[in-house]
Amino acid sequence: SQQGEEDPQALSIQEGENATMNCSYKTSINNLQWYRQNSGRGLVHLILIRSNEREKHSGRLRVTLDTSKKSSSLLITASRAADTASYFCATDNNNDMRFGAGTRLTVKP
Amino acid sequence: EPEVTQTPSHQVTQMGQEVILRCVPISNHLYFYWYRQILGQKVEFLVSFYNNEISEKSEIFDDQFSVERPDGSNFTLKIRSTKLEDSAMYFCASNQAADTQYFGPGTRLTVL
């Protein structure tokens, strides 16, 4: 299966702390994307990292990609209560995108 | 900023009825997708569509499902005879090429 698998399944932290979520996958990819989903709502695209990139930043988000280990991580720095959501990685191989099960992040104020 | 829109936001139907979920992708996008998310579960790929034909479909996308781009703007997902297990959020997405897919807000389908 090409699907990304996130860990942990659930993460609970205090506001201000950093949150790290990991994603592993099994097959080759063109890019890997991270999405956020608030409870019962749609998917919001956060960041895309291509297979030839190792690290990417966007605001408080930092994504790394290690294609040799077939893994990626999403780091949210200085977390806020509003970051509470589910975070999904999705592997993309020529527009064939498959999602992982997600990490449920809870940031306590 | 352009966005993908979906209608209706919530659809309630009786088992066995046909439903059509509608999506308006971003206007200059060429690739279109449907995904579903059963409550509390992960997002699952259903189908991708390019150049007026299905380019890929998952095992979930059986003969009960069909997609169509009836005009230059809409992209529809039809479920011919709904089952209870079809209850889910259905997301449409679009992109220009092998790049970021932009998702719509979803349609919540409830089959009674």
Side-chain angles (χ1 to χ4, degrees):
Chain A
S1 165
Q2 183 181 298
Q3 290 169 325
E5 296 294 335
E6 293 94 336
D7 79 87
Q9 290 186 331
L11 180 62
S12 181
I13 59 174
Q14 292 295 133
E15 206 164 28
E17 293 180 340
N18 295 343
T20 300
M21 290 161 271
N22 302 298
C23 170
S24 60
Y25 58 93
K26 293 178 181 167
T27 63
S28 62
I29 60 171
N30 293 122
N31 63 65
L32 185 143
Q33 305 182 40
W34 285 90
Y35 288 82
R36 164 197 168 120
Q37 184 181 39
N38 285 17
S39 182
R41 310 286 291 276
L43 292 155
V44 175
H45 181 260
L46 296 176
I47 201 163
L48 179 153
I49 185 164
R50 300 191 188 283
S51 59
N52 61 352
E53 297 176 311
R54 292 295 166 259
E55 189 170 311
K56 209 157 181 185
H57 297 254
S58 176
R60 292 185 296 113
L61 305 180
R62 173 177 166 250
V63 167
T64 62
L65 179 65
D66 186 336
T67 51
S68 65
K69 294 180 181 175
K70 291 186 167 53
S71 67
S72 173
S73 67
L74 171 67
L75 168 68
I76 304 175
T77 60
S79 63
R80 305 166 183 167
D83 293 330
T84 294
S86 291
Y87 292 83
F88 296 90
C89 74
T91 54
D92 189 338
N93 188 13
N94 293 323
N95 276 341
D96 178 5
M97 195 157 80
R98 307 294 167 127
F99 284 80
T103 293
R104 175 75 195 158
L105 174 67
T106 302
V107 182
K108 299 174 190 172
Chain B
E1 187 174 328
E3 56 184 21
V4 177
T5 59
Q6 290 185 243
T7 54
S9 56
H10 191 189
Q11 172 89 47
V12 181
T13 189
Q14 294 289 325
M15 191 169 58
Q17 294 296 303
E18 173 183 287
V19 294
I20 297 176
L21 309 182
R22 291 185 166 78
C23 168
V24 179
I26 293 172
S27 62
N28 61 345
H29 285 182
L30 301 174
Y31 298 81
F32 315 109
Y33 311 84
W34 282 101
Y35 296 84
R36 82 170 185 194
Q37 185 182 32
I38 295 170
L39 186 63
Q41 299 187 26
K42 63 183 172 185
V43 177
E44 299 172 294
F45 168 77
L46 291 178
V47 66
S48 59
F49 192 86
Y50 170 73
N51 201 25
N52 279 323
E53 58 184 27
I54 291 173
S55 38
E56 186 159 356
K57 59 183 181 179
S58 72
E59 57 278 4
I60 302 168
F61 194 88
D62 61 22
D63 293 344
Q64 292 284 75
F65 292 89
S66 62
V67 289
E68 198 176 32
R69 189 151 161 83
D71 52 42
S73 60
N74 289 284
F75 179 51
T76 61
L77 174 69
K78 182 193 290 186
I79 308 175
R80 228 174 304 279
S81 176
T82 50
K83 306 172 200 163
L84 294 176
E85 54 265 36
D86 293 327
S87 294
M89 282 286 284
Y90 288 82
F91 295 102
C92 169
S94 70
N95 64 355
Q96 283 187 317
D99 211 320
T100 303
Q101 291 185 23
Y102 293 86
F103 282 77
T107 292
R108 179 171 296 285
L109 176 65
T110 302
V111 182
L112 303 176

